[in-house]
Amino acid sequence: MSMGKVDIDKPKYDQSTYWGRCKHFFLLTNPANLLTSSSQLDEAKDTVEKYRSGKLRSNQSIDEVWKSKYLYDSAFHPETGEKQFLLGRMSAQMPMNTLLTAGMLIFYQSTKSVVFWQWLNQTFNATVNYTNRSGKTPISKPELLTSYTLATSGALGTALGLNHLVKSMNPLIGRLVPFVAVAAANCINIPCMRRRELRDGVSLLDDQNHEVGVSKKAAAQGISNVVVSRISMAIPGMTLTPLLIEYLEKSGFLKRYPHLTGPIQILSCAFILLFSTPMGCAFFQQISPIKVDKLEPEVKESIKRAHPGMDTVYFNKGL
């Protein structure tokens, strides 16, 4: 394909459709991006910067530019331009969550194991949140520590408390406890990490990307959507894998081959997360619309006064 002038700072695929968003996040969260060398990432960054400035060589195709752009987006902070810590990148979500999810599902009965795996999971979440922090409103160390402590405490309290309650129930119920703990931690972690937005609001944009106001209601909607997305990423792996193991145990397969229990859970989690990660990210539009009439009264009045006829504005919901 010959070079065409396109806006590479917008996603390649139509973000108004779910499958368009899925395609976008499949490229962004592709774990193969982690195998890209530092020099290749620097080359991708150079390609993107040259394309933006119109200095790219004429024989480079737009497909090559898009490939470089998604490599660039997967490894560099969108606001500061700094190369991100490897394990904090979105492309690390699938392999890291495979390890963490399998660990929580395999070692769900021992108190020491529950404490270790839930702590490790929240440490990884804190790393991701810090790596992808806003460059304009950075997360302070006290805020990061508070969020990390509350999320870890919530996950441990939920997991240990439920493990005690379900001891006499069907073993399948016990296998689902790690998912409930992870869901509870997400409900705590994300609002804590982004409480500045809840306090101060997020920028509202018109369809030309011009700021027209600031809203706390939009912030609350965006954070709620992210919580739903994060939990939805975890649901398939942390529910279907226990169901698979329960079936294999009842069928006698794992009684004959008990050494396969761990590998099967790891492979199941890896396969599911490969799809559930981008599909969960795609549930809501990154640049989300909100009706002006749903905003705070003072914000609504300000927008209608300055922009008569405007009925929808947009905001970045975050990831």
Side-chain angles (χ1 to χ4, degrees), residues 5 28 65 68 110 116 154-155 171 194 208 215 217 235 240 250-251 280 292 316:
K5 192 60 181 175
L28 195 63
V65 174
S68 294
S110 162
F116 172 76
R194 296 175 60 181
Q208 299 299 314
S215 171
K217 279 195 173 182
I235 287 175
L240 296 179
K250 287 184 175 179
S251 69
V292 173
N316 190 329

Side-chain angles (χ1 to χ4, degrees), residues 118-134:
Q118 291 292 344
W119 164 79
L120 193 61
N121 184 50
Q122 292 313 314
T123 299
F124 172 66
N125 286 340
T127 300
V128 172
N129 288 329
Y130 184 76
T131 302
N132 294 280
R133 67 196 182 280
S134 171

Side-chain angles (χ1 to χ4, degrees), residues 38-224:
S38 183
S39 60
Q40 288 173 312
L41 291 175
D42 290 336
E43 185 179 340
K45 181 180 181 180
D46 184 62
T47 296
V48 169
E49 290 176 345
K50 284 182 177 177
Y51 182 82
R52 284 170 173 164
S53 63
K55 297 178 180 177
L56 198 64
R57 66 179 188 271
S58 58
N59 66 337
Q60 192 152 11
S61 73
I62 191 62
D63 287 338
E64 291 175 309
V65 174
W66 274 122
K67 182 179 179 181
S68 294
K69 180 60 166 57
Y70 273 99
L71 276 178
Y72 172 80
D73 286 345
S74 74
F76 291 88
H77 192 282
E79 292 175 335
T80 66
E82 295 177 353
K83 193 176 292 181
Q84 296 174 314
F85 176 56
L86 186 72
L87 296 184
R89 299 174 190 173
M90 289 304 293
S91 48
Q93 286 285 300
M94 177 268 183
M96 286 302 297
N97 280 322
T98 294
L99 170 68
L100 293 166
T101 301
M104 287 185 284
L105 292 176
I106 294 170
F107 305 106
Y108 70 96
Q109 292 178 311
S110 162
T111 298
K112 289 182 179 180
S113 295
V114 168
V115 170
F116 172 76
W117 285 102
Q118 291 292 344
W119 164 79
L120 193 61
N121 184 50
Q122 292 313 314
T123 299
F124 172 66
N125 286 340
T127 300
V128 172
N129 288 329
Y130 184 76
T131 302
N132 294 280
R133 67 196 182 280
S134 171
K136 295 179 180 178
T137 54
I139 303 166
S140 68
K141 289 182 179 179
E143 287 175 320
L144 185 67
L145 182 60
T146 299
S147 172
Y148 173 69
T149 302
L150 288 174
T152 303
S153 300
L156 287 175
T158 303
L160 295 174
L162 288 178
N163 271 348
H164 179 73
L165 290 175
V166 304
K167 279 183 178 179
S168 59
M169 298 183 186
N170 187 308
L172 178 60
I173 303 298
R175 293 184 189 278
L176 295 175
V177 167
F179 164 68
V180 180
V182 167
N186 275 318
C187 292
I188 297 169
N189 191 347
I190 297 167
C192 284
M193 189 66 70
R194 296 175 60 181
R195 65 180 180 273
R196 279 195 185 186
E197 295 173 35
L198 293 171
R199 182 189 66 203
D200 302 331
V202 294
S203 295
L204 300 173
L205 308 172
D206 63 14
D207 54 9
Q208 299 299 314
N209 213 35
H210 299 133
E211 186 171 331
V212 296
V214 176
S215 171
K216 297 176 185 177
K217 279 195 173 182
Q221 178 178 308
I223 290 169
S224 298

Side-chain angles (χ1 to χ4, degrees), residues 255-296:
K255 289 181 181 178
R256 295 193 299 273
Y257 308 102
H259 59 284
L260 293 180
T261 302
I264 287 173
Q265 292 192 76
I266 293 171
L267 289 173
S268 173
C269 290
F271 178 78
I272 293 171
L273 282 164
L274 184 63
F275 296 94
S276 68
T277 299
M279 293 177 77
C281 286
F283 271 5
F284 305 97
Q285 294 185 54
Q286 186 69 36
I287 305 300
S288 299
I290 185 170
K291 293 291 184 182
V292 173
D293 288 338
K294 292 185 178 181
L295 300 171
E296 301 92 317

